[in-house]
Amino acid sequence: MLPVSLLLHPRGRASLTARAAAVLIIIVTAASALLTGIYVLPGALVRGRIIIRAFYLRGGDPVQITNASFSVWAWAPTQNSTELMPVYNGVGAQAVVSVGRLLAWAEDWMRYYGQGALTSFEPSIIVWVMYPIDLPNGSVELAIEPQLEPLNLSVPLSGSGAVLEVQVSRPFKAIVGPGQPRPRAASAGAIMSAQTTTTTTAPITNTTSALGGQLGRCWHNYYYEAAPHVLSWYPNSSGLAPISLAVAVLQPSPDATSNNLQVMLLGPTVQYVGFNAVMIASGAIGAAAQHFNSAGLEALSEATKALSPLVVNPSLSFEYVSVSSWEDGNVFTGGPDVAQLYVVGQIAFINWTVVKYSAACDRAVGYVHAWYLGPLVTALNVYRSGTGVAPIVHLWYSYVNPVNLSAWAEESALAYEASQGNEGAAEILGSLEVAYPPPPTPAPIFWGSYDVNLTPLKVVPTFGSLSISYTSLEVDGPESTYAVGLDVGSIAVSALGDLACDGAPCGPLLAGALEPITFGTHTFAVDSDIISVQNGLKSPPVYVYFSNLTPVYYNYCSGINFTMPHNIIYVTFNGSAG
């Protein structure tokens, strides 16, 4: 079983000072549309098999894709570490997978979560659908769409079967026929140079100049394959650590007459929680890198907004989440400055590469046609009962003196540069830590650029109040149907180290990225994480800001673009952000 490591910061909490506002973080429910993929219940004819078919829409009607290449992968926490497992690679009108291929996978998950997982937990398998399209100019375009499909563990354990239908709604595109440009060394080549992987993939061999004989035979019977390469694990492949859900920060005031900053969790019963995955195309990475390379961390906001992640369904799904799965943190007698909601989990940062794979020669041929970066939540710490399992949400809050977002942002930037070998940054960082230490939040927070990416939300007058729903904060697009996101971006800054993406550091490029979460009751999703700001009697007005350092997401199921407020809510008395 994977151990739980909370990675608590070594700094202690500061002395108590007077506070005047009350910030209340509450988990609540409100109906909105649930976003799910298509799952067809099995019949007698599919017993012992999982059949996967792909469709696209023409005039609103589904059309089956008959020449699709399928790459199917799974992962599970084994007794030693979390491992990616190849399930199926092939081409045709459908993929037919023996349930025996997933038996060990299901047994690993049952060993990890216990019997309750059988009724309340569905891990996903990863399905890549790729099919060629002939273009009028003689080129061939490859449509590529990844999707995560939740699968009940009882299917392989019982030897029954299932039919999974994947709708291709907004595929990535790559030119793979005549006239195809080679990937630039600063993109695929750079990211491939630092890869590690738990799978075995044959070397990619360029045979374009020798099509005769045995080499030519490799090109007559091939399909497209998406292969994973794990760039980094957080915290590692065998452990768990805190991942931030939301952070509230209160800037104290010398005029404060009370110390009533309150943070608490109310855990209603919801009947579905899904931790959605995202996939970012190399083209978007390249656009983000261009912004970053122009001005470094100062251009972080522009780089983040260029990422355009595709939301591809939950990696882990939990049914029947009860109030007992939400966990309160320590209770303090006064009011804290900083509060954080977090889960304890594991994340794999995966580079997916699309290549031609020769069935005749049993190896990859040609070169990388496309690559994609996908942070994936691979395991979570759960509450267990006799009838189910559910993710535990932890609450932490503390006192920080002084609160200074600008200094915290500067320290985050210096800490990153120092980790890359910048001796000057390391020297400056040493002096800053004494004057303005950032809060010792259990889950990592990259504070860089938050002080310049805060959007005014509302002024709360004396003895007034404000309730803030994450899904009501419209930034660049329509109202988000997602409630909150895991802050994988802050983790990427340290987890990806000096890995380069298109000539820019991968970690900072992802600093604003989130993994969306869907909450639900039966056929409805629910909003979560409402923050209530209440200004106390005889206190000055309270100014409330939210962080807008976030990319624009595309939702596979709903077909809309949306943005989510990042995980920081900032409350101040002085009317300035920072």
Side-chain angles (χ1 to χ4, degrees):
M1 181 171 294
L2 303 185
V4 175
S5 173
L6 293 182
L7 297 181
L8 293 176
H9 199 288
R11 297 192 183 102
R13 62 185 177 91
S15 60
L16 307 185
T17 56
R19 310 289 182 258
V23 175
L24 182 62
I25 298 181
I26 309 175
I27 305 298
V28 298
T29 62
S32 63
L34 177 62
L35 307 176
T36 62
I38 302 174
Y39 182 83
V40 181
L41 294 177
L45 294 179
V46 298
R47 181 167 182 81
R49 299 178 297 167
I50 298 173
I51 298 175
I52 305 172
R53 300 175 181 137
F55 297 81
Y56 67 88
L57 294 180
R58 178 189 295 165
D61 298 322
V63 178
Q64 185 173 358
I65 303 168
T66 58
N67 63 337
S69 292
F70 294 92
S71 280
V72 183
W73 294 82
W75 76 94
T78 67
Q79 292 181 330
N80 297 320
S81 63
T82 300
E83 295 183 2
L84 286 163
M85 308 169 182
V87 177
Y88 177 90
N89 283 288
V91 63
Q94 61 186 25
V96 180
V97 182
S98 168
V99 294
R101 294 281 297 171
L102 288 168
L103 181 58
W105 167 80
E107 291 173 342
D108 285 332
W109 279 114
M110 290 294 294
R111 185 183 304 112
Y112 186 59
Y113 280 150
Q115 287 296 318
L118 198 59
T119 57
S120 63
F121 170 67
E122 289 187 349
S124 290
I125 59 174
I126 306 169
V127 179
W128 286 80
V129 177
M130 297 155 284
Y131 62 97
I133 303 171
D134 293 329
L135 299 180
N137 63 2
S139 298
V140 178
E141 182 179 69
L142 188 65
I144 306 166
E145 183 152 315
Q147 196 49 248
L148 276 74
E149 295 292 335
L151 187 65
N152 194 287
L153 296 175
S154 64
V155 173
L157 290 174
S158 66
S160 58
V163 176
L164 302 179
E165 296 186 344
V166 180
Q167 179 180 307
V168 178
S169 60
R170 188 185 180 182
F172 298 122
K173 300 293 182 64
I175 302 298
V176 298
Q180 175 192 3
R182 297 290 184 95
R184 292 181 293 117
S187 56
I191 198 168
M192 292 285 284
S193 64
Q195 289 172 356
T196 58
T197 178
T198 57
T199 63
T200 301
T201 303
I204 299 174
T205 305
N206 187 354
T207 61
T208 55
S209 61
L211 298 181
Q214 183 176 359
L215 292 179
R217 181 171 60 89
C218 296
W219 291 84
H220 292 295
N221 186 13
Y222 67 85
Y223 51 85
Y224 294 96
E225 179 186 70
H229 309 267
V230 179
L231 304 175
S232 180
W233 292 93
Y234 172 81
N236 50 59
S237 63
S238 61
L240 307 178
I243 307 168
S244 184
L245 282 170
V247 174
V249 178
L250 170 67
Q251 173 65 58
S253 168
D255 299 324
T257 57
S258 70
N259 58 352
N260 191 29
L261 175 78
Q262 299 178 6
V263 184
M264 60 189 298
L265 281 176
L266 302 179
T269 297
V270 297
Q271 294 187 323
Y272 176 82
V273 176
F275 291 82
N276 297 274
V278 297
M279 202 72 66
I280 306 172
S282 57
I285 292 285
Q290 186 174 6
H291 286 292
F292 189 92
N293 290 334
S294 66
L297 290 172
E298 294 182 3
L300 187 58
S301 178
E302 291 78 8
T304 296
K305 291 179 179 179
L307 291 176
S308 302
L310 175 69
V311 181
V312 289
N313 273 352
S315 59
L316 303 175
S317 304
F318 297 86
E319 303 268 351
Y320 305 107
V321 179
S322 67
V323 63
S324 53
S325 70
W326 304 90
E327 181 178 288
D328 279 335
N330 295 324
V331 177
F332 295 95
T333 56
D337 300 309
V338 180
Q340 183 179 63
L341 293 174
Y342 66 95
V343 297
V344 176
Q346 180 188 69
I347 295 175
F349 293 91
I350 303 175
N351 176 35
W352 293 89
T353 55
V354 175
V355 298
K356 284 189 179 79
Y357 194 89
S358 169
C361 295
D362 193 23
R363 68 179 182 186
V365 295
Y367 46 86
V368 175
H369 294 297
W371 60 270
Y372 306 91
L373 189 59
L376 186 69
V377 180
T378 50
L380 288 167
N381 190 23
V382 300
Y383 167 83
R384 305 184 187 204
S385 70
T387 57
V389 296
I392 299 174
V393 177
H394 301 265
L395 168 63
W396 172 91
Y397 46 91
S398 189
Y399 310 87
V400 177
N401 187 20
V403 171
N404 191 316
L405 284 187
S406 297
W408 296 351
E410 183 180 359
E411 179 168 344
S412 285
L414 288 169
Y416 172 76
E417 292 175 3
S419 71
Q420 304 303 302
N422 186 325
E423 295 181 0
E427 184 176 348
I428 298 173
L429 182 63
S431 61
L432 282 179
E433 285 186 325
V434 175
Y436 298 107
T441 54
I445 293 293
F446 182 72
W447 297 94
S449 289
Y450 284 152
D451 60 323
V452 295
N453 285 282
L454 291 170
T455 297
L457 183 62
K458 189 175 181 180
V459 178
V460 181
T462 300
F463 211 51
S465 63
L466 169 66
S467 293
I468 309 165
S469 169
Y470 271 73
T471 59
S472 67
L473 298 178
E474 297 183 15
V475 183
D476 293 329
E479 196 167 295
S480 168
T481 53
Y482 289 98
V484 65
L486 287 179
D487 187 6
V488 298
S490 289
I491 291 169
V493 174
S494 58
L496 293 180
D498 59 358
L499 183 67
C501 289
D502 243 351
C506 292
L509 288 186
L510 299 177
L514 303 176
E515 294 271 12
I517 299 175
T518 299
F519 291 79
T521 56
H522 292 298
T523 57
F524 296 95
V526 296
D527 303 339
S528 174
D529 274 2
I530 285 185
I531 296 177
S532 177
V533 180
Q534 300 175 6
N535 196 3
L537 184 63
K538 299 181 180 179
S539 298
V542 174
Y543 299 83
V544 182
Y545 299 80
F546 69 89
S547 173
N548 64 355
L549 182 63
T550 174
V552 178
Y553 293 79
Y554 179 81
N555 182 6
Y556 158 81
C557 292
S558 69
I560 63 171
N561 293 314
F562 66 90
T563 56
M564 293 187 296
H566 207 266
N567 109 11
I568 305 298
I569 293 290
Y570 180 60
V571 183
T572 179
F573 291 92
N574 59 22
S576 64

